[in-house]
Amino acid sequence: MGLKLAAVISPPRCGSMWLYNAIRLTLQSAGFVTKPDEITVSVNDLSKVVRDALNETSPAVVYTIKSHDVLGVQGEGVFGATVMRDPRDMIASYRAFMGDDAQEFDVCVQLGHFIRIYDQLEELWGDALFTARYGDIVERP
């Protein structure tokens, strides 16, 4: 069985969009058709894309998703990836991104959430997860 699904799973503000786009472009340059055409956001839509990917019969089609929630979708035909970034940097990036809306932002709660995502990824995916480093994305894209 070939690749059916490429899943980028990470906390927000760590470079996951860059990795998602890099994976899609790499697959396309290798001759694969990537689906869906637009990024999937809601949990229901993500579930549908995963189902569609696992039911896909064409070896030329690979589905790609990006999620800030940990998905336990490992297995044959599934490639998982994340970006490792210092959670303190993600907090600073998130606050700058949110601007005035960050006034009600609880740093401790969000920091714990970011770290918990990395812990869950390690627990569920272990060595099966490709990990890019944020510094490498910035310094050597």
Side-chain angles (χ1 to χ4, degrees):
M1 172 189 291
L3 181 62
K4 291 181 167 241
L5 176 68
V8 176
I9 307 164
S10 68
R13 311 306 303 162
C14 71
S16 56
M17 193 67 199
W18 183 94
L19 184 58
Y20 171 83
N21 285 324
I23 290 170
R24 285 179 60 86
L25 289 171
T26 301
L27 289 167
Q28 290 167 358
S29 70
F32 290 97
V33 173
T34 56
K35 291 186 179 182
D37 293 330
E38 295 182 7
I39 194 159
T40 306
V41 178
S42 78
V43 173
N44 288 339
D45 290 343
L46 279 171
S47 296
K48 181 186 179 321
V49 171
V50 169
R51 278 193 310 278
D52 290 349
L54 298 177
N55 291 322
E56 179 61 53
T57 58
S58 172
V61 175
V62 177
Y63 286 76
T64 54
I65 59 172
K66 179 175 111 50
S67 176
H68 296 308
D69 295 310
V70 177
L71 306 172
V73 188
Q74 322 79 314
E76 191 174 344
V78 178
F79 172 78
T82 193
V83 179
M84 184 63 69
R85 185 178 187 189
D86 185 321
R88 296 168 296 184
D89 291 339
M90 289 187 288
I91 293 292
S93 176
Y94 187 84
R95 290 189 68 147
F97 179 74
M98 294 299 291
D100 290 339
D101 290 340
Q103 296 298 333
E104 301 298 318
F105 182 73
D106 186 329
V107 172
C108 292
V109 169
Q110 198 61 43
L111 187 61
H113 177 69
F114 290 168
I115 292 169
R116 199 165 27 264
I117 289 172
Y118 285 134
D119 288 345
Q120 290 173 339
L121 284 171
E122 175 64 30
E123 182 180 311
L124 286 172
W125 287 78
D127 292 339
L129 186 72
F130 170 79
T131 301
R133 300 223 169 265
Y134 181 80
D136 291 337
I137 289 173
V138 172
E139 296 168 17
R140 300 183 317 224

